[in-house]
Amino acid sequence: MILDNRGLEPPQPMMRTLATLETLKENETLTIFNDRRPMFLYEQLEELGYKQKTEEQKDGSFKIEIFR
């Protein structure tokens, strides 16, 4: 599942991501693209039991893969 949050102002990217995670099935990965590194999202993911892998893109945006 892919969610492109680029172009959105905070807190919209985090709200969209958390809402989408509620629909994620077991063993699925959510890949999001954000304009900035989602520092506050990392705390929420940890509390909810998710892991993440963040990779900065050449254009300065961030690709974050979220999984259990």
Side-chain angles (χ1 to χ4, degrees):
M1 188 176 276
I2 297 174
L3 187 63
D4 190 346
N5 291 322
R6 291 174 287 195
L8 299 175
E9 290 298 318
Q12 286 300 316
M14 187 162 99
M15 292 172 57
R16 289 183 74 210
T17 300
L18 293 174
T20 303
L21 282 175
E22 292 179 8
T23 68
L24 206 63
K25 293 180 176 69
E26 191 70 29
N27 297 319
E28 280 188 325
T29 298
L30 173 60
T31 301
I32 64 170
F33 291 91
N34 283 16
D35 290 322
R36 42 186 85 72
R37 189 179 299 271
M39 300 308 293
F40 296 112
L41 177 63
Y42 296 145
E43 296 170 21
Q44 292 289 320
L45 294 176
E46 189 173 325
E47 286 178 18
L48 294 170
Y50 288 97
K51 297 185 185 322
Q52 57 80 26
K53 177 182 166 196
T54 300
E55 185 179 302
E56 187 169 0
Q57 304 298 291
K58 291 181 181 180
D59 66 0
S61 66
F62 291 87
K63 173 184 174 184
I64 301 98
E65 294 176 315
I66 303 169
F67 51 92
R68 286 210 188 259

